[in-house]
PDB file of all heavy atoms in Angstrom:
ATOM      1  N   PRO A 558      -3.966 -82.391  -9.093  1.00 93.00           N
ATOM      2  CA  PRO A 558      -3.992 -81.399 -10.171  1.00 93.00           C
ATOM      3  C   PRO A 558      -3.071 -80.220  -9.880  1.00 93.00           C
ATOM      4  O   PRO A 558      -2.613 -80.040  -8.739  1.00 93.00           O
ATOM      5  CB  PRO A 558      -5.464 -80.950 -10.196  1.00 93.00           C
ATOM      6  CG  PRO A 558      -5.961 -81.201  -8.811  1.00 93.00           C
ATOM      7  CD  PRO A 558      -5.219 -82.423  -8.336  1.00 93.00           C
ATOM      8  N   LEU A 559      -2.798 -79.458 -10.891  1.00 95.00           N
ATOM      9  CA  LEU A 559      -1.980 -78.255 -10.777  1.00 95.00           C
ATOM     10  C   LEU A 559      -2.567 -77.312  -9.736  1.00 95.00           C
ATOM     11  O   LEU A 559      -3.771 -77.061  -9.719  1.00 95.00           O
ATOM     12  CB  LEU A 559      -1.928 -77.553 -12.140  1.00 95.00           C
ATOM     13  CG  LEU A 559      -1.204 -76.214 -12.225  1.00 95.00           C
ATOM     14  CD1 LEU A 559       0.289 -76.411 -12.037  1.00 95.00           C
ATOM     15  CD2 LEU A 559      -1.490 -75.556 -13.575  1.00 95.00           C
ATOM     16  N   ASN A 560      -1.710 -76.787  -8.871  1.00 93.00           N
ATOM     17  CA  ASN A 560      -2.159 -75.853  -7.830  1.00 93.00           C
ATOM     18  C   ASN A 560      -1.342 -74.558  -7.908  1.00 93.00           C
ATOM     19  O   ASN A 560      -0.331 -74.418  -7.276  1.00 93.00           O
ATOM     20  CB  ASN A 560      -1.991 -76.487  -6.451  1.00 93.00           C
ATOM     21  CG  ASN A 560      -2.569 -75.615  -5.348  1.00 93.00           C
ATOM     22  OD1 ASN A 560      -3.484 -74.858  -5.572  1.00 93.00           O
ATOM     23  ND2 ASN A 560      -2.003 -75.734  -4.154  1.00 93.00           N
ATOM     24  N   ASN A 561      -1.868 -73.624  -8.692  1.00 92.00           N
ATOM     25  CA  ASN A 561      -2.971 -73.751  -9.624  1.00 92.00           C
ATOM     26  C   ASN A 561      -2.677 -72.997 -10.912  1.00 92.00           C
ATOM     27  O   ASN A 561      -3.511 -72.907 -11.793  1.00 92.00           O
ATOM     28  CB  ASN A 561      -4.275 -73.256  -8.978  1.00 92.00           C
ATOM     29  CG  ASN A 561      -4.157 -71.812  -8.437  1.00 92.00           C
ATOM     30  OD1 ASN A 561      -3.419 -70.958  -8.940  1.00 92.00           O
ATOM     31  ND2 ASN A 561      -4.873 -71.569  -7.378  1.00 92.00           N
ATOM     32  N   TYR A 562      -1.442 -72.410 -11.020  1.00 96.00           N
ATOM     33  CA  TYR A 562      -1.102 -71.560 -12.158  1.00 96.00           C
ATOM     34  C   TYR A 562       0.324 -71.858 -12.601  1.00 96.00           C
ATOM     35  O   TYR A 562       1.255 -71.835 -11.788  1.00 96.00           O
ATOM     36  CB  TYR A 562      -1.211 -70.092 -11.733  1.00 96.00           C
ATOM     37  CG  TYR A 562      -1.401 -69.096 -12.856  1.00 96.00           C
ATOM     38  CD1 TYR A 562      -2.584 -68.393 -12.989  1.00 96.00           C
ATOM     39  CD2 TYR A 562      -0.399 -68.846 -13.780  1.00 96.00           C
ATOM     40  CE1 TYR A 562      -2.778 -67.465 -14.010  1.00 96.00           C
ATOM     41  CE2 TYR A 562      -0.569 -67.936 -14.802  1.00 96.00           C
ATOM     42  CZ  TYR A 562      -1.754 -67.237 -14.906  1.00 96.00           C
ATOM     43  OH  TYR A 562      -1.940 -66.322 -15.928  1.00 96.00           O
ATOM     44  N   MET A 563       0.496 -72.131 -13.882  1.00 96.00           N
ATOM     45  CA  MET A 563       1.824 -72.429 -14.408  1.00 96.00           C
ATOM     46  C   MET A 563       2.169 -71.486 -15.548  1.00 96.00           C
ATOM     47  O   MET A 563       1.395 -71.328 -16.484  1.00 96.00           O
ATOM     48  CB  MET A 563       1.872 -73.878 -14.910  1.00 96.00           C
ATOM     49  CG  MET A 563       3.252 -74.340 -15.402  1.00 96.00           C
ATOM     50  SD  MET A 563       3.610 -73.959 -17.146  1.00 96.00           S
ATOM     51  CE  MET A 563       2.566 -75.152 -17.978  1.00 96.00           C
ATOM     52  N   ASN A 564       3.322 -70.827 -15.435  1.00 95.00           N
ATOM     53  CA  ASN A 564       3.837 -69.980 -16.505  1.00 95.00           C
ATOM     54  C   ASN A 564       4.894 -70.737 -17.292  1.00 95.00           C
ATOM     55  O   ASN A 564       5.658 -71.530 -16.730  1.00 95.00           O
ATOM     56  CB  ASN A 564       4.460 -68.694 -15.935  1.00 95.00           C
ATOM     57  CG  ASN A 564       3.409 -67.652 -15.603  1.00 95.00           C
ATOM     58  OD1 ASN A 564       2.402 -67.544 -16.293  1.00 95.00           O
ATOM     59  ND2 ASN A 564       3.639 -66.893 -14.546  1.00 95.00           N
ATOM     60  N   PHE A 565       4.949 -70.461 -18.584  1.00 95.00           N
ATOM     61  CA  PHE A 565       5.912 -71.128 -19.461  1.00 95.00           C
ATOM     62  C   PHE A 565       6.507 -70.099 -20.417  1.00 95.00           C
ATOM     63  O   PHE A 565       5.796 -69.229 -20.921  1.00 95.00           O
ATOM     64  CB  PHE A 565       5.214 -72.234 -20.268  1.00 95.00           C
ATOM     65  CG  PHE A 565       6.024 -72.766 -21.418  1.00 95.00           C
ATOM     66  CD1 PHE A 565       6.941 -73.789 -21.218  1.00 95.00           C
ATOM     67  CD2 PHE A 565       5.888 -72.243 -22.699  1.00 95.00           C
ATOM     68  CE1 PHE A 565       7.699 -74.280 -22.276  1.00 95.00           C
ATOM     69  CE2 PHE A 565       6.633 -72.733 -23.760  1.00 95.00           C
ATOM     70  CZ  PHE A 565       7.545 -73.757 -23.548  1.00 95.00           C
ATOM     71  N   THR A 566       7.819 -70.191 -20.637  1.00 94.00           N
ATOM     72  CA  THR A 566       8.449 -69.362 -21.661  1.00 94.00           C
ATOM     73  C   THR A 566       9.631 -70.120 -22.244  1.00 94.00           C
ATOM     74  O   THR A 566      10.328 -70.848 -21.533  1.00 94.00           O
ATOM     75  CB  THR A 566       8.915 -68.004 -21.106  1.00 94.00           C
ATOM     76  OG1 THR A 566       9.548 -67.257 -22.151  1.00 94.00           O
ATOM     77  CG2 THR A 566       9.893 -68.176 -19.961  1.00 94.00           C
ATOM     78  N   ASP A 567       9.840 -69.986 -23.537  1.00 90.00           N
ATOM     79  CA  ASP A 567      11.021 -70.588 -24.154  1.00 90.00           C
ATOM     80  C   ASP A 567      11.708 -69.576 -25.071  1.00 90.00           C
ATOM     81  O   ASP A 567      12.206 -69.906 -26.141  1.00 90.00           O
ATOM     82  CB  ASP A 567      10.674 -71.885 -24.896  1.00 90.00           C
ATOM     83  CG  ASP A 567       9.677 -71.671 -26.034  1.00 90.00           C
ATOM     84  OD1 ASP A 567       9.108 -70.570 -26.135  1.00 90.00           O
ATOM     85  OD2 ASP A 567       9.486 -72.602 -26.833  1.00 90.00           O
ATOM     86  N   ILE A 568      11.741 -68.324 -24.609  1.00 86.00           N
ATOM     87  CA  ILE A 568      12.421 -67.279 -25.382  1.00 86.00           C
ATOM     88  C   ILE A 568      13.924 -67.504 -25.343  1.00 86.00           C
ATOM     89  O   ILE A 568      14.613 -67.447 -26.358  1.00 86.00           O
ATOM     90  CB  ILE A 568      12.064 -65.885 -24.824  1.00 86.00           C
ATOM     91  CG1 ILE A 568      10.563 -65.630 -24.996  1.00 86.00           C
ATOM     92  CG2 ILE A 568      12.880 -64.797 -25.520  1.00 86.00           C
ATOM     93  CD1 ILE A 568      10.087 -64.341 -24.380  1.00 86.00           C
ATOM     94  N   GLU A 569      14.456 -67.742 -24.137  1.00 85.00           N
ATOM     95  CA  GLU A 569      15.876 -68.048 -23.971  1.00 85.00           C
ATOM     96  C   GLU A 569      15.970 -69.320 -23.119  1.00 85.00           C
ATOM     97  O   GLU A 569      16.053 -69.257 -21.895  1.00 85.00           O
ATOM     98  CB  GLU A 569      16.600 -66.886 -23.287  1.00 85.00           C
ATOM     99  CG  GLU A 569      16.600 -65.606 -24.118  1.00 85.00           C
ATOM    100  CD  GLU A 569      17.306 -64.464 -23.411  1.00 85.00           C
ATOM    101  OE1 GLU A 569      17.801 -64.698 -22.277  1.00 85.00           O
ATOM    102  OE2 GLU A 569      17.353 -63.358 -23.970  1.00 85.00           O
ATOM    103  N   GLY A 570      15.950 -70.458 -23.764  1.00 88.00           N
ATOM    104  CA  GLY A 570      15.862 -71.717 -23.040  1.00 88.00           C
ATOM    105  C   GLY A 570      14.424 -71.954 -22.620  1.00 88.00           C
ATOM    106  O   GLY A 570      13.531 -71.168 -22.907  1.00 88.00           O
ATOM    107  N   VAL A 571      14.193 -73.053 -21.931  1.00 92.00           N
ATOM    108  CA  VAL A 571      12.846 -73.400 -21.481  1.00 92.00           C
ATOM    109  C   VAL A 571      12.746 -73.140 -19.981  1.00 92.00           C
ATOM    110  O   VAL A 571      13.568 -73.618 -19.204  1.00 92.00           O
ATOM    111  CB  VAL A 571      12.521 -74.879 -21.784  1.00 92.00           C
ATOM    112  CG1 VAL A 571      11.154 -75.238 -21.233  1.00 92.00           C
ATOM    113  CG2 VAL A 571      12.553 -75.120 -23.288  1.00 92.00           C
ATOM    114  N   TYR A 572      11.719 -72.384 -19.602  1.00 93.00           N
ATOM    115  CA  TYR A 572      11.549 -72.027 -18.199  1.00 93.00           C
ATOM    116  C   TYR A 572      10.081 -72.146 -17.833  1.00 93.00           C
ATOM    117  O   TYR A 572       9.202 -71.667 -18.564  1.00 93.00           O
ATOM    118  CB  TYR A 572      12.023 -70.595 -17.951  1.00 93.00           C
ATOM    119  CG  TYR A 572      11.739 -70.090 -16.546  1.00 93.00           C
ATOM    120  CD1 TYR A 572      12.545 -70.466 -15.474  1.00 93.00           C
ATOM    121  CD2 TYR A 572      10.655 -69.254 -16.292  1.00 93.00           C
ATOM    122  CE1 TYR A 572      12.287 -70.012 -14.181  1.00 93.00           C
ATOM    123  CE2 TYR A 572      10.389 -68.788 -15.006  1.00 93.00           C
ATOM    124  CZ  TYR A 572      11.206 -69.172 -13.958  1.00 93.00           C
ATOM    125  OH  TYR A 572      10.942 -68.729 -12.691  1.00 93.00           O
ATOM    126  N   THR A 573       9.804 -72.796 -16.701  1.00 94.00           N
ATOM    127  CA  THR A 573       8.437 -72.862 -16.184  1.00 94.00           C
ATOM    128  C   THR A 573       8.452 -72.472 -14.711  1.00 94.00           C
ATOM    129  O   THR A 573       9.446 -72.684 -14.007  1.00 94.00           O
ATOM    130  CB  THR A 573       7.828 -74.274 -16.320  1.00 94.00           C
ATOM    131  OG1 THR A 573       8.606 -75.197 -15.547  1.00 94.00           O
ATOM    132  CG2 THR A 573       7.773 -74.714 -17.760  1.00 94.00           C
ATOM    133  N   TYR A 574       7.349 -71.920 -14.279  1.00 95.00           N
ATOM    134  CA  TYR A 574       7.216 -71.526 -12.885  1.00 95.00           C
ATOM    135  C   TYR A 574       5.774 -71.747 -12.462  1.00 95.00           C
ATOM    136  O   TYR A 574       4.849 -71.291 -13.137  1.00 95.00           O
ATOM    137  CB  TYR A 574       7.593 -70.059 -12.697  1.00 95.00           C
ATOM    138  CG  TYR A 574       7.388 -69.557 -11.277  1.00 95.00           C
ATOM    139  CD1 TYR A 574       8.196 -70.010 -10.236  1.00 95.00           C
ATOM    140  CD2 TYR A 574       6.385 -68.631 -10.988  1.00 95.00           C
ATOM    141  CE1 TYR A 574       8.013 -69.564  -8.938  1.00 95.00           C
ATOM    142  CE2 TYR A 574       6.195 -68.168  -9.687  1.00 95.00           C
ATOM    143  CZ  TYR A 574       7.007 -68.639  -8.677  1.00 95.00           C
ATOM    144  OH  TYR A 574       6.826 -68.198  -7.390  1.00 95.00           O
ATOM    145  N   THR A 575       5.591 -72.458 -11.361  1.00 96.00           N
ATOM    146  CA  THR A 575       4.249 -72.756 -10.869  1.00 96.00           C
ATOM    147  C   THR A 575       4.026 -72.050  -9.532  1.00 96.00           C
ATOM    148  O   THR A 575       4.914 -72.059  -8.673  1.00 96.00           O
ATOM    149  CB  THR A 575       4.066 -74.273 -10.675  1.00 96.00           C
ATOM    150  OG1 THR A 575       4.291 -74.938 -11.920  1.00 96.00           O
ATOM    151  CG2 THR A 575       2.656 -74.586 -10.199  1.00 96.00           C
ATOM    152  N   PHE A 576       2.878 -71.449  -9.374  1.00 95.00           N
ATOM    153  CA  PHE A 576       2.548 -70.803  -8.111  1.00 95.00           C
ATOM    154  C   PHE A 576       1.051 -70.924  -7.856  1.00 95.00           C
ATOM    155  O   PHE A 576       0.274 -71.220  -8.767  1.00 95.00           O
ATOM    156  CB  PHE A 576       2.967 -69.324  -8.106  1.00 95.00           C
ATOM    157  CG  PHE A 576       2.206 -68.462  -9.080  1.00 95.00           C
ATOM    158  CD1 PHE A 576       1.085 -67.747  -8.672  1.00 95.00           C
ATOM    159  CD2 PHE A 576       2.604 -68.364 -10.408  1.00 95.00           C
ATOM    160  CE1 PHE A 576       0.378 -66.955  -9.566  1.00 95.00           C
ATOM    161  CE2 PHE A 576       1.909 -67.569 -11.305  1.00 95.00           C
ATOM    162  CZ  PHE A 576       0.790 -66.862 -10.889  1.00 95.00           C
ATOM    163  N   GLU A 577       0.669 -70.683  -6.619  1.00 95.00           N
ATOM    164  CA  GLU A 577      -0.740 -70.732  -6.256  1.00 95.00           C
ATOM    165  C   GLU A 577      -1.316 -69.321  -6.243  1.00 95.00           C
ATOM    166  O   GLU A 577      -0.987 -68.513  -5.374  1.00 95.00           O
ATOM    167  CB  GLU A 577      -0.936 -71.374  -4.886  1.00 95.00           C
ATOM    168  CG  GLU A 577      -2.407 -71.476  -4.484  1.00 95.00           C
ATOM    169  CD  GLU A 577      -2.621 -72.099  -3.121  1.00 95.00           C
ATOM    170  OE1 GLU A 577      -1.619 -72.469  -2.482  1.00 95.00           O
ATOM    171  OE2 GLU A 577      -3.793 -72.201  -2.691  1.00 95.00           O
ATOM    172  N   ALA A 578      -2.164 -69.027  -7.218  1.00 94.00           N
ATOM    173  CA  ALA A 578      -2.875 -67.754  -7.223  1.00 94.00           C
ATOM    174  C   ALA A 578      -3.920 -67.795  -6.109  1.00 94.00           C
ATOM    175  O   ALA A 578      -4.674 -68.761  -6.003  1.00 94.00           O
ATOM    176  CB  ALA A 578      -3.539 -67.524  -8.579  1.00 94.00           C
ATOM    177  N   GLU A 579      -3.947 -66.757  -5.281  1.00 93.00           N
ATOM    178  CA  GLU A 579      -4.822 -66.773  -4.116  1.00 93.00           C
ATOM    179  C   GLU A 579      -6.213 -66.242  -4.452  1.00 93.00           C
ATOM    180  O   GLU A 579      -6.370 -65.296  -5.210  1.00 93.00           O
ATOM    181  CB  GLU A 579      -4.207 -65.936  -2.995  1.00 93.00           C
ATOM    182  CG  GLU A 579      -2.920 -66.518  -2.449  1.00 93.00           C
ATOM    183  CD  GLU A 579      -2.403 -65.744  -1.246  1.00 93.00           C
ATOM    184  OE1 GLU A 579      -3.075 -64.776  -0.843  1.00 93.00           O
ATOM    185  OE2 GLU A 579      -1.342 -66.109  -0.722  1.00 93.00           O
ATOM    186  N   LYS A 580      -7.200 -66.861  -3.862  1.00 93.00           N
ATOM    187  CA  LYS A 580      -8.590 -66.441  -4.014  1.00 93.00           C
ATOM    188  C   LYS A 580      -8.797 -65.124  -3.272  1.00 93.00           C
ATOM    189  O   LYS A 580      -8.431 -64.995  -2.111  1.00 93.00           O
ATOM    190  CB  LYS A 580      -9.522 -67.520  -3.470  1.00 93.00           C
ATOM    191  CG  LYS A 580     -10.986 -67.348  -3.797  1.00 93.00           C
ATOM    192  CD  LYS A 580     -11.764 -68.575  -3.310  1.00 93.00           C
ATOM    193  CE  LYS A 580     -13.219 -68.512  -3.739  1.00 93.00           C
ATOM    194  NZ  LYS A 580     -13.958 -67.446  -3.051  1.00 93.00           N
ATOM    195  N   LYS A 581      -9.376 -64.149  -3.941  1.00 91.00           N
ATOM    196  CA  LYS A 581      -9.618 -62.845  -3.317  1.00 91.00           C
ATOM    197  C   LYS A 581     -10.941 -62.867  -2.561  1.00 91.00           C
ATOM    198  O   LYS A 581     -11.970 -63.273  -3.110  1.00 91.00           O
ATOM    199  CB  LYS A 581      -9.645 -61.741  -4.375  1.00 91.00           C
ATOM    200  CG  LYS A 581      -8.299 -61.424  -4.985  1.00 91.00           C
ATOM    201  CD  LYS A 581      -8.412 -60.371  -6.076  1.00 91.00           C
ATOM    202  CE  LYS A 581      -8.913 -59.047  -5.527  1.00 91.00           C
ATOM    203  NZ  LYS A 581      -8.904 -57.989  -6.581  1.00 91.00           N
ATOM    204  N   ASP A 582     -10.895 -62.407  -1.320  1.00 89.00           N
ATOM    205  CA  ASP A 582     -12.108 -62.399  -0.497  1.00 89.00           C
ATOM    206  C   ASP A 582     -13.173 -61.459  -1.052  1.00 89.00           C
ATOM    207  O   ASP A 582     -14.364 -61.667  -0.824  1.00 89.00           O
ATOM    208  CB  ASP A 582     -11.773 -61.994   0.941  1.00 89.00           C
ATOM    209  CG  ASP A 582     -10.941 -63.054   1.653  1.00 89.00           C
ATOM    210  OD1 ASP A 582     -11.021 -64.225   1.250  1.00 89.00           O
ATOM    211  OD2 ASP A 582     -10.206 -62.693   2.594  1.00 89.00           O
ATOM    212  N   ASP A 583     -12.729 -60.418  -1.764  1.00 88.00           N
ATOM    213  CA  ASP A 583     -13.683 -59.447  -2.303  1.00 88.00           C
ATOM    214  C   ASP A 583     -13.740 -59.486  -3.830  1.00 88.00           C
ATOM    215  O   ASP A 583     -14.054 -58.483  -4.467  1.00 88.00           O
ATOM    216  CB  ASP A 583     -13.329 -58.033  -1.834  1.00 88.00           C
ATOM    217  CG  ASP A 583     -11.931 -57.613  -2.293  1.00 88.00           C
ATOM    218  OD1 ASP A 583     -11.162 -58.491  -2.745  1.00 88.00           O
ATOM    219  OD2 ASP A 583     -11.615 -56.406  -2.189  1.00 88.00           O
ATOM    220  N   CYS A 584     -13.444 -60.644  -4.420  1.00 91.00           N
ATOM    221  CA  CYS A 584     -13.457 -60.777  -5.889  1.00 91.00           C
ATOM    222  C   CYS A 584     -14.825 -60.398  -6.444  1.00 91.00           C
ATOM    223  O   CYS A 584     -15.864 -60.828  -5.933  1.00 91.00           O
ATOM    224  CB  CYS A 584     -13.109 -62.205  -6.290  1.00 91.00           C
ATOM    225  SG  CYS A 584     -13.302 -62.536  -8.062  1.00 91.00           S
ATOM    226  N   VAL A 585     -14.808 -59.619  -7.506  1.00 89.00           N
ATOM    227  CA  VAL A 585     -16.056 -59.146  -8.096  1.00 89.00           C
ATOM    228  C   VAL A 585     -16.894 -60.300  -8.639  1.00 89.00           C
ATOM    229  O   VAL A 585     -18.123 -60.223  -8.693  1.00 89.00           O
ATOM    230  CB  VAL A 585     -15.746 -58.116  -9.209  1.00 89.00           C
ATOM    231  CG1 VAL A 585     -14.988 -58.773 -10.365  1.00 89.00           C
ATOM    232  CG2 VAL A 585     -17.017 -57.453  -9.717  1.00 89.00           C
ATOM    233  N   ALA A 586     -16.243 -61.404  -9.025  1.00 90.00           N
ATOM    234  CA  ALA A 586     -16.969 -62.518  -9.641  1.00 90.00           C
ATOM    235  C   ALA A 586     -17.359 -63.606  -8.651  1.00 90.00           C
ATOM    236  O   ALA A 586     -18.489 -64.084  -8.665  1.00 90.00           O
ATOM    237  CB  ALA A 586     -16.134 -63.132 -10.761  1.00 90.00           C
ATOM    238  N   CYS A 587     -16.437 -64.016  -7.781  1.00 90.00           N
ATOM    239  CA  CYS A 587     -16.689 -65.223  -6.985  1.00 90.00           C
ATOM    240  C   CYS A 587     -16.910 -64.986  -5.502  1.00 90.00           C
ATOM    241  O   CYS A 587     -17.174 -65.930  -4.763  1.00 90.00           O
ATOM    242  CB  CYS A 587     -15.563 -66.235  -7.187  1.00 90.00           C
ATOM    243  SG  CYS A 587     -13.970 -65.736  -6.477  1.00 90.00           S
ATOM    244  N   SER A 588     -16.804 -63.733  -5.021  1.00 88.00           N
ATOM    245  CA  SER A 588     -16.964 -63.501  -3.591  1.00 88.00           C
ATOM    246  C   SER A 588     -18.416 -63.429  -3.158  1.00 88.00           C
ATOM    247  O   SER A 588     -18.720 -63.511  -1.969  1.00 88.00           O
ATOM    248  CB  SER A 588     -16.261 -62.205  -3.191  1.00 88.00           C
ATOM    249  OG  SER A 588     -16.957 -61.080  -3.708  1.00 88.00           O
ATOM    250  N   GLN A 589     -19.320 -63.238  -4.145  1.00 79.00           N
ATOM    251  CA  GLN A 589     -20.753 -63.093  -3.844  1.00 79.00           C
ATOM    252  C   GLN A 589     -21.027 -61.821  -3.021  1.00 79.00           C
ATOM    253  O   GLN A 589     -22.081 -61.687  -2.402  1.00 79.00           O
ATOM    254  CB  GLN A 589     -21.284 -64.298  -3.052  1.00 79.00           C
ATOM    255  CG  GLN A 589     -20.906 -65.647  -3.627  1.00 79.00           C
ATOM    256  CD  GLN A 589     -21.809 -66.088  -4.763  1.00 79.00           C
ATOM    257  OE1 GLN A 589     -23.014 -65.934  -4.710  1.00 79.00           O
ATOM    258  NE2 GLN A 589     -21.218 -66.641  -5.802  1.00 79.00           N
TER     259      GLN A 589
END
Side-chain angles (χ1 to χ4, degrees):
L559 176 69
N560 186 28
N561 55 31
Y562 202 113
M563 184 274 287
N564 279 325
F565 167 86
T566 179
D567 61 350
I568 296 175
E569 296 179 1
V571 176
Y572 174 79
T573 62
Y574 176 69
T575 301
F576 66 95
E577 181 181 359
E579 294 186 1
K580 191 174 186 292
K581 289 177 63 175
D582 292 335
D583 60 347
C584 173
V585 65
C587 69
S588 70
Q589 312 278 318

